[in-house]
Amino acid sequence: MLNRVRSAVAHLVSSGGVPSPRPKSPDLPNSTSAPPAAFPEAPRSPPVKAGVSATTTDARASFSRPTFLQLSPGGLRRADDQAGRVVQSPPDTGRRLPWSTGYAEVINAGKSRHNEDQACCEVVYVEGRRSVSGAPKESSTSQGLCFYYWGLFDGHAGGGAAEMASRLLHRHIREKLKDLVEILQDPSPPPLCLSSSPGASDPSHMVGPQSYWSSQKEVTHESLVVGAIENAFRLMDEQMAQERHGHQVEGGCCALVVIYLLGKVYVANAGDSRAIIVRNGEIIPMSREFTPETERRRLQLLGFLKPELLGSEFTHLEFPRRIQPKELGQRMLYRDQNMTGWAYKKIELEDLRFPLVCGEGKKARVMATIGVTRGLGDHNLKVCSSTLPIKPFLSCFPEVQVYDLTQYEHCPDDVLVLGTDGLWDVTSDHDVAATVDRVLSAYEPNDSSRYTALAQALVLGARGTPRDRGWRLPNNKLGSGDDISVFVIPLGGPGSYS
């Protein structure tokens, strides 16, 4: 069986195509598939499912891949081959990922020593920390909550941060949700304050929404989940800071996370990965990239308020190009933290410093060093040939967008596509939507392999094929030389909720 799998993968790479559609077959029951979107029934056993997000490691090298790929030592070496760049997916004979999720990845073409992307797919049970009423949790009749979790982590300057986040971020999310288990299952508005006495049963220990103010801001259950995700990212980043000396947590990583909880999908993005929904041919963006260009004003404002972070090397102002000493006293275009347009100013001596934000597109950089402005890690990152830290300008907080699955009737071809920037550097949203239509239309709706085939097609389409001048796309443009990782999550139909 292993030889047949290897042969199929080799044929897939050499042909540049996707596996042939399988005959129509019923979708098999799966203990890791998600229950109906209305409300997931919490399993009785509380632990996180083991072995899904862990990594397979080569003992002779400092690199690892997600365990759900089930790579043998030989397979791990092939996955690390930057000349062949074999596309990796979970084997057909292995345990299916939740919701019949499709996944595929490929290593870079030499950009870094190993594949610095990581991936995680989990089913997580959350047991309440205590009853909202203040009663001990043993006497509470509420069930725990089950959430489904997917994560892509795009590492830079090493793979340690991405590997650590893939193992631990969902656990931080679980911890932050423990206080919300009973609240989220209660349709009434969330309480303003929780009791500070865990064993207290007196309801006066809890301050109700209208106890002290005649009016207050409306707080929804959805916003509580968003807050839990945001704080979990913060705790993950703090843990990386604490353990960066005693453990191998080099570099940093962008993080793109999806959580399904109580009928809603939460997409949290910190970095330049991307998520889109393709629904009945329509493209629905579920994230936006955070780069020096998109966050220019936030970065400039911080540099303006705390000039000590810039040292004597940088200016918070932006100019169309680097200013020359001979231009002192002249009037040149500029913009600051308050401006979206441009204006003229007289060039002064301080303006000769290097701009905090420089470059355009993929070449845009913060302090001439890093091209992303949100993510996890990077606590040791400093300006080249300087002791000036860059971390104060990098935010670990994600932007979270919410999609209510219960508001639409989804068909089997409606999917949520997650990809690291290796995909999006050479592939547009419309290219992805076209591939979704082309690949899924070739498979029966209840064929559970269709989503893996789609993930493989997306990775192959971005990677291209090897030619004399590198990896090329069909139009002869350069393919992606970066690590590429893709999740395809079906939103409806057979194989998604059954």
Side-chain angles (χ1 to χ4, degrees), residues 355-378:
L356 171 62
V357 176
C358 64
E360 292 182 296
K362 293 297 290 186
K363 294 182 179 180
R365 294 291 184 269
V366 177
M367 296 178 135
T369 304
I370 187 169
V372 291
T373 54
R374 297 201 191 192
L376 302 169
D378 289 314

Side-chain angles (χ1 to χ4, degrees), residues 22-29 96 444-449 494-495 498:
R22 296 180 176 182
K24 183 176 180 180
S25 60
D27 189 52
L28 299 177
R96 188 188 309 163
E444 293 290 343
N446 60 357
D447 188 340
S448 61
S449 68
S498 58

